[in-house]
Amino acid sequence: MAEIGKGVTAGKLAINVQKRLTRAQEKVLQKLGKADETRDVVFEEMVANFNKQMGEGTKLQKDLKAYLAAVKTMHDASRRLQDCLADMYEPDWFGKEEMDALAEDTDTMWLDYHQSITDKSLQDMDMYLSQFPDIKARIAKRDRKLVDFDSARHHFTSLQKGKKKDEAKIAKPAALLEMAAPSWAQGLISAHQVAQTNLSYNQAEEDLGRAQKIFEELNVELQDELPALWDRRVGVYVNTFQSLAGHQEKFHKEMSKLSENLNDIMTKLEEQRQIKSAPPPGPPPSRPPPRMTPSPNQQQQNVSPFEDEPSVHDTNTDSTTTTLQVRLTANVYVLGTYKKILYDFDRNTLFSFTDFICKSDVNEKRLFCFLQVKAVHDYAATDGDELELKMGDVVLVLAFDNPDEQDDGWLMGLKESHWFQKKDISAKGVFPENFTQRV
Amino acid sequence: MAENKMGPNLQAGAGIFAKRVQKSLNRAQEKVLQKLGKTMETKDEQFELCSQNLNKQQIDGSRLFKDVKAYYAAVKGMHETSKRLSQTLSDIYESDWDGVKDLAVITESEDLLWNDYEEKINDQLVRTMENYTSQFPEVKERVAKRGRKLVDYDSARHHLEALQGAKKKDEAKIAKAEEEFNKAQNVFEEINNELREELPVLHQSRIGCYVTVFENISNLRDVFYKEMSGLNRELYNVMKKLETQHSGKAFIIKGLNRCVDPGSKTCRTPALEAWG
C-alpha cells in the first residue's frame, strides 16, 4: 500500500496522515452509529484473556524478583550472625574447625540457591514475558486494519448507492452539454462521465478487497495464536512453581542438616564449658569435713620454698583453661609484675586469686608469693599435723607435698606469725578451708 | 598486708647503733610503703584488664544484638515475599484445576510456619540479646564509681604519707588522716572486691549467652527447614498433578477460525465434541 510513496518521505508522510484521518473519520462514524463495526465477540474474549495473562505473568515476575532480593538479604544477615560467632570463638574451644567449615558450606548453599532460582525460574519467566509486547502490537495492528477494512467497505457501499444517483445527476447537465457540443463530440462527454464514475467505483472495490485481505491475514494468525498462548500459561506456571518448589525443598533439606550440625557443635561446646566452670564456693564457718587418713604416697614431691626452679604456671585466661596444678611456694623472681594464677584443688574447683602477698626474707634475695587467707573462726587442732587457728590469724597457704594427701576442703598452710619468726615452713599444718576467708 | 607498726618514735642521739637501727627501720618502712603502692598498681593493672574486657564485651554484645535484629527483619522479608508468591499462585489458579484445595492448605500451612518461626526468633533471640546488653550500662557505672573511690583512697593515702613523712609530726592530724585513710580504704575495697568478683563472672557469661543464642537459632532453623521442605514437596506434587491434567489438551487444528480447546467452556466445535 505504501509503494507509491516509497523513497519519498513527503509522500509517505502524506499517506500516513491520510490513513490516520480516514481511520479517525471511520471511528467517529461508528461512534455516531452511522456506520456498523465489525465485531468479533469471541476475539474480544481472546484479547481479554491475553491481557489477563500478561498481567498475571508480570506480577509473577515481580514477585519472583522480590523473593530473590529477600533471599539475598537473608543470606547476608545469616552470614553476619555467623561472623559474630566466629569472631568470638576461641581456638581452644570445641569445634572451631567444624564451625568454620560449616560457615563456608552455609554460604555456598545460599549462593547456589539464589543462583539456581535466578537461572531457572526468573530467566524462564523473562523469556516467557518477552513475547507479549510483540503480540500486543500485532493485536493493535489488527485493530487498525479492521478499521481500514470497515472504512473501505463503507466507502464502497456508499459508492454503490450513489452510482445510480450520480448517473441521474449528471444526466441533465450532460444532456445540455451534449446539445451544446459539436457533432463530433456528441456522446463523448457522457461517455467520459460514465468512465469517470466507473473508475472511482473500481478503485473503491479494489481498495476494499485489499483491506479485507490484509485484515483477514492478521486476524487468522491471531486467532490461532492467542488461544494457544492462553493454554500454554498453565504449563508456564507449572514449570515455574514446580522448579521453585523443587529448589526450595532441596535447599531447606540441606540447610536443616547444616543447622543440625551447628546445634551439635554448640551442645558440645556447652558441655565442655560446664565441665570447666564452677561457681566459687563461699561456705559459712561450719564443722570441718571428716578427715580421712592419708593414703601412702607413691611419689614424694619436694615442695619447699627453697626449690630451685619456679613452678608457677601462669595464664591469662580464666576458667576455660584446662585444670592446672599449681605449686605456689616456689622461688619466683618477680620482676615487678604479678601474675594471676589459677589454683586448682584437683576437684574441679577453681579459684582465681588476683592478689598476692610478697614476702622477702632478710637478705632480700628471694621473693615468695603466697596465697593468703585469714581465719574467721577459731580452730583447735585435733591432730598433730593440724594448724591451730585463732580468729584473725593470717595464714599463708602452701601446696601439699603430695596432692593425694590432700583432703576435701582442707588446705596446708603456715601461720604468718611463724613465718616472721622462723622464716621457714617447719611449722606448717593443715587446716579447714572453710574456717578461713580469702584476703 | 604488712602493717606499718614501726613507728618512728625513737630517741635521737643514741649513738651509731641507734642510727643503724633507725636506718633499717626506715628502709623497711619504705619498702612496705612501696609494696603498698605496688600492690595497688597490680590491682589496677588487673582491674584495667577487666575493664577492657568489659568494654569489648559490651561492644561485641551490641554487635550481636544488631545482627540478630537484622536477621529477624530478613526473616520477615522472606516471609512477606514468599507469601506474595503464594498469593499470586492462588490468584491465577482456576477453580477447575486439579489441586485447588490442596494448594489452599499448603499456602495456609506455610504462612503458619513462617509466623511461628518469626515469633520464636523474636522470643528466643531478640529478647535474649536485649536482656544481655541491658546489663552493661549499670556495670559500667559502678566501674566508674570505683574509679572515683580509688581517687579518694589515693588522695587520703598521700595525705597520710605526707603527714607521716613531715619533719614535725602532728599526732592529732596523723590520727585523723589515718582514720580518713581507713575509711576511704574500706569504701574502695568494698566496691573493688564486689567488682573483682563480678566482672570475671560477667565476662564468662558472654560465652553462655552466645552459646545459647546460637544453639537456639540452629535449633529453630533445623525445625523450620525440615517442615518447610515437606511443604515444598507437597507443592511440587500439586504442580505435577496440574501438569498431568493439562498436558496434551491444547492443540490447534488449522483451518478453523476458532479456538479448539475442548477443556475450555467457551468454544467447542461439533467435530471435537464427539471426542468429548
Side-chain angles (χ1 to χ4, degrees):
Chain A
M1 208 184 326
E3 271 90 315
I4 309 160
K6 217 175 190 176
V8 185
T9 37
K12 186 133 192 226
L13 192 64
I15 286 178
N16 277 344
V17 169
Q18 177 68 51
K19 265 197 208 168
R20 266 192 252 135
L21 277 175
T22 318
R23 277 178 200 151
Q25 193 177 341
E26 181 63 28
K27 280 232 146 72
V28 166
L29 285 174
Q30 284 176 358
K31 287 237 166 49
L32 289 176
K34 295 242 165 71
D36 62 340
E37 259 180 280
T38 309
R39 295 200 65 178
D40 188 341
V41 176
V42 176
F43 192 84
E44 276 175 19
E45 202 179 301
M46 285 194 240
V47 170
N49 282 347
F50 172 80
N51 286 330
K52 182 159 175 253
Q53 186 176 1
M54 192 164 78
E56 284 174 2
T58 313
K59 173 137 203 307
L60 200 51
Q61 184 190 46
K62 194 171 89 153
D63 289 344
L64 266 179
K65 281 201 181 131
Y67 182 73
L68 276 173
V71 165
K72 192 154 195 306
T73 309
M74 188 82 192
H75 176 197
D76 284 340
S78 189
R79 188 174 38 213
R80 275 213 299 271
L81 268 186
Q82 196 67 36
D83 284 346
C84 266
L85 182 62
D87 284 347
M88 223 215 36
Y89 226 87
E90 306 202 4
D92 60 333
W93 288 3
F94 173 83
K96 169 104 175 116
E97 280 147 18
E98 286 104 316
M99 256 271 307
D100 290 339
L102 207 66
E104 285 257 352
D105 288 341
T106 311
D107 212 35
T108 312
M109 196 144 287
W110 275 108
L111 283 172
D112 281 346
Y113 181 53
H114 191 265
Q115 195 63 42
S116 54
I117 295 191
T118 309
D119 285 344
K120 286 307 315 303
S121 306
L122 193 62
Q123 254 179 31
D124 285 355
M125 187 54 60
D126 285 345
M127 246 170 29
Y128 166 69
L129 281 176
S130 65
Q131 63 188 326
F132 283 83
D134 174 66
I135 298 182
K136 196 172 169 116
R138 280 163 60 209
I139 292 179
K141 188 172 178 189
R142 175 210 173 264
D143 279 346
R144 292 195 299 274
K145 298 306 172 195
L146 180 56
V147 171
D148 289 346
F149 174 44
D150 274 345
S151 99
R153 189 161 50 87
H154 294 140
H155 180 58
F156 182 66
T157 10
S158 70
L159 274 186
Q160 263 186 326
K161 281 199 208 125
K163 192 172 172 199
K164 299 198 175 69
K165 262 203 264 168
D166 279 346
E167 282 177 345
K169 249 201 223 163
I170 60 169
K172 191 149 178 254
L176 285 172
L177 214 57
E178 285 261 3
M179 287 197 296
S183 51
W184 59 267
Q186 290 286 343
L188 275 178
I189 296 172
S190 54
H192 177 72
Q193 298 277 23
V194 170
Q196 286 276 38
T197 46
N198 278 347
L199 200 61
S200 59
Y201 184 84
N202 289 339
Q203 184 72 40
E205 200 173 20
E206 220 175 274
D207 284 345
L208 175 60
R210 205 166 31 209
Q212 182 168 23
K213 181 159 166 283
I214 289 172
F215 167 71
E216 293 272 314
E217 214 174 281
L218 268 178
N219 195 36
V220 166
E221 256 176 39
L222 283 174
Q223 280 191 330
D224 284 345
E225 281 183 38
L226 284 182
L229 183 64
W230 175 246
D231 284 334
R232 268 212 306 280
R233 86 194 185 292
V234 181
V236 169
Y237 298 153
V238 161
N239 278 342
T240 308
F241 281 96
Q242 201 174 38
S243 126
L244 188 63
H247 284 127
Q248 279 179 334
E249 191 198 348
K250 176 161 164 280
F251 173 68
H252 288 146
K253 267 213 182 96
E254 307 272 307
M255 285 297 279
S256 148
K257 276 201 213 106
L258 288 181
S259 292
E260 229 177 279
N261 291 347
L262 181 63
N263 201 14
D264 286 341
I265 294 177
M266 287 293 116
T267 315
K268 294 226 180 75
L269 180 64
E270 176 77 25
E271 281 170 18
Q272 188 193 38
R273 261 184 6 100
Q274 297 284 17
I275 291 172
K276 290 197 164 109
S277 77
S286 61
R287 290 176 58 83
R291 187 91 188 285
M292 293 184 289
T293 50
S295 49
N297 43 9
Q298 291 111 349
Q299 316 166 310
Q300 270 298 352
Q301 279 172 343
N302 222 359
V303 181
S304 73
F306 310 105
E307 263 188 346
D308 281 337
E309 309 129 29
S311 60
V312 172
H313 300 256
D314 54 283
T315 63
N316 277 335
T317 60
D318 35 30
S319 57
T320 53
T321 57
T322 52
T323 56
L324 303 167
Q325 183 86 27
V326 174
R327 281 179 255 140
L328 282 179
T329 57
N331 295 349
V332 176
Y333 291 93
V334 177
L335 303 166
T337 55
Y338 301 140
K339 302 198 177 150
K340 187 166 83 164
I341 291 182
L342 297 173
Y343 194 121
D344 178 11
F345 287 96
D346 222 12
R347 302 257 190 292
N348 292 332
T349 54
L350 272 159
F351 306 99
S352 67
F353 297 104
T354 55
D355 58 335
F356 288 90
I357 276 303
C358 289
K359 309 276 177 207
S360 59
D361 69 355
V362 175
N363 32 20
E364 290 158 29
K365 284 233 177 86
R366 289 174 295 197
L367 205 59
F368 303 104
C369 290
F370 296 102
L371 224 49
Q372 192 179 52
V373 297
K374 194 178 208 167
V376 295
H377 206 270
D378 289 358
Y379 178 69
T382 60
D383 206 348
D385 52 354
E386 286 182 14
L387 204 61
E388 178 102 33
L389 291 181
K390 286 271 173 302
M391 171 140 71
D393 274 358
V394 175
V395 180
L396 309 173
V397 179
L398 310 173
F400 276 82
D401 292 344
N402 186 349
D404 294 337
E405 269 185 354
Q406 186 193 347
D407 299 316
D408 229 341
W410 290 75
L411 297 178
M412 169 92 81
L414 170 75
K415 277 206 265 203
E416 195 183 59
S417 43
H418 281 152
W419 169 254
F420 278 137
Q421 282 170 18
K422 308 220 182 113
K423 291 284 191 284
D424 66 27
I425 59 168
S426 53
K428 71 182 182 196
V430 293
F431 62 95
E433 184 194 323
N434 49 5
F435 273 46
T436 59
Q437 184 179 294
R438 296 199 316 262
V439 172
Chain B
M1 220 169 297
E3 284 122 77
N4 184 16
K5 289 246 166 51
M6 303 181 224
N9 280 338
L10 282 186
Q11 298 140 9
I16 306 165
F17 175 71
K19 271 212 181 107
R20 238 190 278 147
V21 172
Q22 172 78 52
K23 257 199 220 165
S24 61
L25 277 173
N26 278 347
R27 230 176 284 149
Q29 180 187 322
E30 191 56 46
K31 255 191 307 241
V32 165
L33 287 176
Q34 276 177 20
K35 266 187 233 131
L36 217 105
K38 263 202 180 144
T39 321
M40 291 304 297
E41 268 171 43
T42 309
K43 285 189 181 148
D44 260 350
E45 253 174 55
Q46 286 158 343
F47 196 88
E48 195 49 47
L49 184 66
C50 278
S51 181
Q52 278 171 9
N53 282 346
L54 178 70
N55 286 339
K56 180 160 191 296
Q57 187 180 359
Q58 187 186 28
I59 292 173
D60 287 345
S62 298
R63 174 183 168 205
L64 183 61
F65 188 30
K66 191 168 89 138
D67 288 344
V68 161
K69 280 197 280 199
Y71 188 79
Y72 179 54
V75 166
K76 284 213 276 213
M78 282 280 285
H79 179 194
E80 184 61 45
T81 54
S82 196
K83 197 160 153 178
R84 261 190 273 155
L85 267 175
S86 299
Q87 191 60 46
T88 304
L89 180 59
S90 295
D91 288 342
I92 63 186
Y93 220 88
E94 309 222 350
S95 48
D96 60 336
W97 288 2
D98 256 353
V100 153
K101 293 211 178 65
D102 295 337
L103 182 67
V105 169
I106 293 172
T107 310
E108 176 88 28
S109 308
E110 275 189 10
D111 201 35
L112 283 174
L113 194 61
W114 275 110
N115 278 334
D116 190 55
Y117 188 43
E118 266 176 45
E119 215 178 283
K120 292 218 173 89
I121 288 183
N122 197 29
D123 279 341
Q124 292 182 18
L125 298 182
V126 178
R127 291 282 151 71
T128 307
M129 284 313 294
E130 207 171 55
N131 292 340
Y132 176 71
T133 50
S134 66
Q135 61 186 332
F136 288 105
E138 192 242 326
V139 176
K140 284 188 96 164
E141 178 52 46
R142 281 166 62 211
V143 168
K145 183 175 177 191
R146 173 202 174 272
R148 296 195 293 273
K149 297 304 173 197
L150 177 59
V151 167
D152 293 346
Y153 179 30
D154 267 349
S155 75
R157 176 158 63 89
H158 288 143
H159 186 222
L160 178 64
E161 281 174 9
L163 284 181
Q164 282 174 337
K167 294 243 168 29
K168 202 168 97 169
K169 313 226 189 272
D170 182 349
E171 285 310 316
K173 271 203 185 149
I174 286 178
K176 185 156 180 283
E178 254 184 43
E179 198 188 305
E180 276 176 20
F181 170 77
N182 286 330
K183 200 163 70 176
Q185 182 176 38
N186 285 339
V187 167
F188 169 74
E189 290 280 324
E190 195 182 311
I191 193 175
N192 190 42
N193 286 337
E194 260 176 35
L195 284 175
R196 267 225 321 253
E197 276 185 28
E198 285 181 29
L199 286 183
V201 171
L202 178 63
H203 192 237
Q204 266 310 96
S205 76
R206 83 194 186 290
I207 305 175
C209 174
Y210 276 59
V211 168
T212 306
V213 163
F214 283 93
E215 242 178 7
N216 285 347
I217 203 176
S218 61
N219 204 27
L220 286 177
R221 274 191 201 155
D222 188 19
V223 169
F224 173 74
Y225 286 141
K226 275 210 179 74
E227 300 277 313
M228 193 47 104
S229 79
L231 288 177
N232 293 145
R233 168 108 312 232
E234 283 180 34
L235 182 63
Y236 185 87
N237 291 338
V238 168
M239 288 294 114
K240 256 216 130 46
K241 277 205 310 209
L242 182 62
E243 187 181 41
T244 319
Q245 186 195 26
H246 281 255
S247 64
K249 282 254 180 103
F251 48 90
I252 303 294
I253 298 180
K254 290 278 179 214
L256 291 173
N257 279 351
R258 288 289 178 264
C259 68
V260 288
D261 179 11
S264 163
K265 291 187 173 59
T266 51
C267 34
R268 284 186 186 278
T269 62
L272 290 167
E273 211 129 307
W275 294 12

